């Protein structure tokens, strides 16, 4: 083969190999790490799978927050005003976690449809509503009408 | 009256920016020297007007003029003065004004420093910057004017600045970040000017290089500051979250890093010409995309406060105009450009090609992860989030590979390297890095990624040193003189590469060896972590200028000796009744102790989060080194000499 062509061939195959590897890795990693969002209504209708990492959001139900007196375990419910989901979490809650406030929790559902959360997120501004929750509330309201 | 004057100045500046976008181009087309020369005064007048209105906004903050909507939303009479001033860029409108101001600053700097550029190039560069300025001034004026008034019933008190933003880090983080982000517009403008004039020889790369390096240095500092701020202010002890807004600044950084390197090749060797132009366009497009993502509120993020659809549409249109327009121009012109020098597979050009491919791949990876949720939502497939594990699995192997190659790159020669000489140079650092890695990790549990990362860190540091010694030569006589004679450009590279290794060490140890515990604590309770004993001494109430706080006192003992007394706080800011965690950090070169106070669980018991974070400072130390490297190489004497000569 002509040396210039050979060089070009090597360069191009090297580029293709790198890009191929990157795309493969990317798709693999994406597949593993997409967390779907479910509203409490979707969960009570059984749309969400058990034992898969998901996100759930809604308003914290007034009077539902229950703390374990001897550890940092805490239990509460979130609602989209149509249905509610129980969430269990162990750890410190974010500053803006409050009853009546919108939060998003990430975790896995167990057999009893209780979300065992690994992370609880509240936004950094008390006026700010996470769009997923706004959307879920909206849908639940439309259904009720 | 003053706000109206500020508003008027801004409107006037829009007119001048429009003139700046057209007059020099007209001059260029007609070969009319005077019209082209107008680019300089037009640039300066636009900048002065924007600066003037910025000062007026800052003054309105200083005197608590709550009749201005933006001031009343983002300030409060009790706010300390420094924060009142930084509140100017605490919200959407003001940050956009700062964005435009910095853009104008860059344009004026080009107008001032570019006296020696060929007249037509300078005219085209300034006109391009004028178009970008026009776009953003229009955006500012039509959708987000900071001077809108609340008259006649103005509020007596402002809503206060978001407590998270009441912080020193936040005073300097946005300006630094924008200096970087927006600074890439200069490289972009040079690329456009080169395309229009068809003058795509290596001189444009030489002109664009120092500007690009300086912007890159600022962006590096800005990202570092953001990470540092998140670390101590958010109270979770994390230093990077792959938050969409972080990604928005990180993507132009990755592309900009590629750009710095490909500009070097284009300048020195005349190859990669059209690729470098494309990369300059790509980098600035990512800056614009970042601005769009942050400012339109399409993404769920810590930073996305505003969600106003008209703003999103406006900036999306701007984005399409700039990216589409420049790509069109590129498509029309790039075919004429031929790189006339070929290069060998073992040359430094090939090394830099790998650098470029990998960095662009990395930025596309981040782009995909950031935009994927938007895409998913747009196709109505549900709401998703892409977690940090995606970015980590993707990023680490590719970045490690990049650094592995990065260390060897400087040893390569242009065009062709003798492989046996190279191998001889590499064998010693290879063996030594393996040994050092083994020694460091001997008492650790085995893990691939840890081992490889540590190896790469040693490898980079050793090769930086070896390259330096090789450049100094063997003659022991006068090596100091020789060291001084090496160009700044070269030292810039060495220091920046060293910075990468330093950051890598920080990232590695923080991810692998951090200890964290969340506990309930009452008076005299204690918890032990990594050999440090934390004793809780109770909580007292304190009052700040615009908040009240519960302040805990915790003594830290190591081997029975007190090493620190720490006071994390839980603050309630009065104007917004917003709660804030103020972490207490005992910083050290080799470890940080980090405590944040959680909720009050009962009368005397509090939730407390304790971290021990080894080597965390190294992450930012590396960032500082990289930025220094960037600045140093921009200060190379070569650019001064060259820009003095006419080409």
């Amino acid at each position: 083969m002509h040396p210039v062509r050979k060089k070009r061939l090597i360069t191009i195959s090297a580029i293709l190999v790198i890009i191929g590897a990157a795309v493969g890795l990317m798709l693999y990693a994406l597949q593993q790490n997409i967390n779907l969002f479910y509203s409490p209504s979707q969960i009570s209708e059984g749309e969400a799978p058990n034992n898969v990492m998901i996100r759930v959001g809604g308003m914290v139900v007034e009077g539902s927050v229950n703390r374990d007196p001897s550890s940092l375990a805490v239990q509460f419910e979130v609602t989209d005003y149509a249905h509610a989901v129980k969430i269990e979490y162990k750890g410190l809650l974010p500053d803006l976690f409050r009853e009546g406030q919108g939060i998003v929790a990430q975790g896995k559902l167990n057999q009893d449809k209780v979300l065992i959360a690994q992370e609880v997120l509240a936004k950094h501004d008390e006026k700010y509503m996470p769009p997923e929750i706004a959307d879920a509330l909206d849908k639940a309201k439309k259904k009720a009408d | 009256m003053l706000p109206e004057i500020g508003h008027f100045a801004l409107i006037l500046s829009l007119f001048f920016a429009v003139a700046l976008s057209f007059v020099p181009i007209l001059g260029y087309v007609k070969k009319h020297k005077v019209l082209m020369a107008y680019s300089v005064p037009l640039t300066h007048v636009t900048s002065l007007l924007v600066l003037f209105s910025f000062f007026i906004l800052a003054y309105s903050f200083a005197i608590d003029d709550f009749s201005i909507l933006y001031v009343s939303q983002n300030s409060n009479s009790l706010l300390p003065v420094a924060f009142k001033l930084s509140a100017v860029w605490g919200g959407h409108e003001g940050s956009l004004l700062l964005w435009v101001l910095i853009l104008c600053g860059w344009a004026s700097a080009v107008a001032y420093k570019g006296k020696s550029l060929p007249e037509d190039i300078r005219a085209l560069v300034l006109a391009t910057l004028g178009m970008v300025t026009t776009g953003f001034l229009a955006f500012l004026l039509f959708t987000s004017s900071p001077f809108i008034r609340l008259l006649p019933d103005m509020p007596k008190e402002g809503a206060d600045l978001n407590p998270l933003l009441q912080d020193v880090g936040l005073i300097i983080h946005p300006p630094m970040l924008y200096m970087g982000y927006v600074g890439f517009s200069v490289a972009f403008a040079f690329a456009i000017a080169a395309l229009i004039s068809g003058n795509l020889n290596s001189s444009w790369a030489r002109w664009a290089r120092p500007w690009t390096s300086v912007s890159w240095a600022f962006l590096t500092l800005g990202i570092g500051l953001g990470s540092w701020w998140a670390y101590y202010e958010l109270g979770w002890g994390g230093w990077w979250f792959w938050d969409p807004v972080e990604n928005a600044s990180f993507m132009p950084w990755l592309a900009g890093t590629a750009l710095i390197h490909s500009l070097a090749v284009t300048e020195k060797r005349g190859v990669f010409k059209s690729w470098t132009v494309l990369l300059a366009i790509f980098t600035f497009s990512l800056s614009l995309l970042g601005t769009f993502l942050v400012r339109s509120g399409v993404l769920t993020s810590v930073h996305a406060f505003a969600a106003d659809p008209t703003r999103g549409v406006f900036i999306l249109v701007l984005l399409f105009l700039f990216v589409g327009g420049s790509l069109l121009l590129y498509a029309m012109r790039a075919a004429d450009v031929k790189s006339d020098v070929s290069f060998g597979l073992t040359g430094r050009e090939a090394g830099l090609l790998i650098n470029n491919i990998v960095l662009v791949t990395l930025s596309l990876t981040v782009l995909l992860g950031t935009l994927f949720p938007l895409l998913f939502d747009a196709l109505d497939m549900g709401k998703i989030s892409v977690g940090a594990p995606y970015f980590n699995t993707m990023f680490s192997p590719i970045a490690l590979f990049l650094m592995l190659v990065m260390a060897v790159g400087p040893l390569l020669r242009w065009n062709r390297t003798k492989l046996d000489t190279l191998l001889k140079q590499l064998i010693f650092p290879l063996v030594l890095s393996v040994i050092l890695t083994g020694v460091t990790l001997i008492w650790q549990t085995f893990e691939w990624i840890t081992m490889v990362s540590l190896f790469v860190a040693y490898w980079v540091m050793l090769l930086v040193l070896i390259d330096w010694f090789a450049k100094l030569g063997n003659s022991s006589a006068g090596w100091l003189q020789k060291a001084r004679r090496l160009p700044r450009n070269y030292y810039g590279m060495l220091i920046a590469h060293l910075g990468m290794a330093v950051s890598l060490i920080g990232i590695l140890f923080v991810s692998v060896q951090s200890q964290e515990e969340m506990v309930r604590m009452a008076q005299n309770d204690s918890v032990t972590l990594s050999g440090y004993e934390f004793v809780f001494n109770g909580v007292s109430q304190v009052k700040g200028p615009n908040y009240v706080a519960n302040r805990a006192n915790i003594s830290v003992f190591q081997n029975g000796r007190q090493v620190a007394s720490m006071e994390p706080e839980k603050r309630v800011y009065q104007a917004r009744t917003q709660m804030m965690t103020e972490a207490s950090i005992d910083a050290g070169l080799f470890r940080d102790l980090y405590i944040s106070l959680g909720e009050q669980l009962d009368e005397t018991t509090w939730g407390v989060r304790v971290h021990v974070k080894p080597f965390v400072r190294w992450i930012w130390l590396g960032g500082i080194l990289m930025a220094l490297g960037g600045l140093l190489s921009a200060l190379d004497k070569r650019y001064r000499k060259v820009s003095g000569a006419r080409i």
Side-chain angles (χ1 to χ4, degrees), chain A residues 7 10-11 15 18-19 22 25-30 33-37 55 67-72 89-93 95-96 98 106 121 123-128 130-132 135, chain B residues 162 164 234 236 300-302 304-305 343-345 353 357 361 365 368 372 381 383-387 389-390 393-394 397 518-520 570 576-581 598-599 601 607-609:
Chain A
K7 211 190 287 171
I10 297 178
T11 317
I15 293 177
I18 294 184
I19 292 179
L25 252 173
M26 236 185 258
L27 292 177
Y28 170 78
L30 261 182
N33 294 298
I34 286 177
N35 306 312
L36 266 164
F37 178 90
R55 286 156 83 90
R67 259 176 226 290
D68 185 281
S70 60
S71 75
L72 285 171
Y89 176 69
K90 200 170 176 186
L92 299 182
L93 292 164
D95 288 338
L96 288 176
R98 229 167 291 152
Q106 185 161 316
L121 305 165
K123 284 297 154 180
H124 291 293
D125 189 312
E126 85 275 19
K127 277 176 259 157
Y128 178 78
E132 294 104 326
D135 198 50
Chain B
N162 187 333
L164 273 173
L234 296 184
W236 322 330
T300 319
S301 152
V302 226
F305 298 110
F343 61 91
L345 284 176
L353 181 65
I357 296 172
T361 310
T365 316
L368 183 74
F372 210 64
M381 286 160 72
K383 302 229 178 248
I384 57 161
S385 73
V386 174
Y390 160 77
T393 20
M394 278 308 299
M518 287 189 267
V519 282
R520 292 172 70 98
K570 196 76 170 177
R576 298 187 174 208
T577 56
Q578 183 169 332
M579 201 119 70
M580 268 281 302
T581 301
E599 313 125 81
L601 300 170
V608 179
R609 189 198 297 246

Side-chain angles (χ1 to χ4, degrees), chain B residues 421-442:
Chain B
T421 337
L422 180 68
L423 285 180
K424 253 184 232 153
Q425 275 179 300
L426 292 183
I427 212 94
F428 168 69
L430 181 73
V431 173
L432 193 57
S433 310
V434 170
I435 294 174
L436 284 172
T437 308
V439 170
T440 320
L441 291 182
I442 206 149

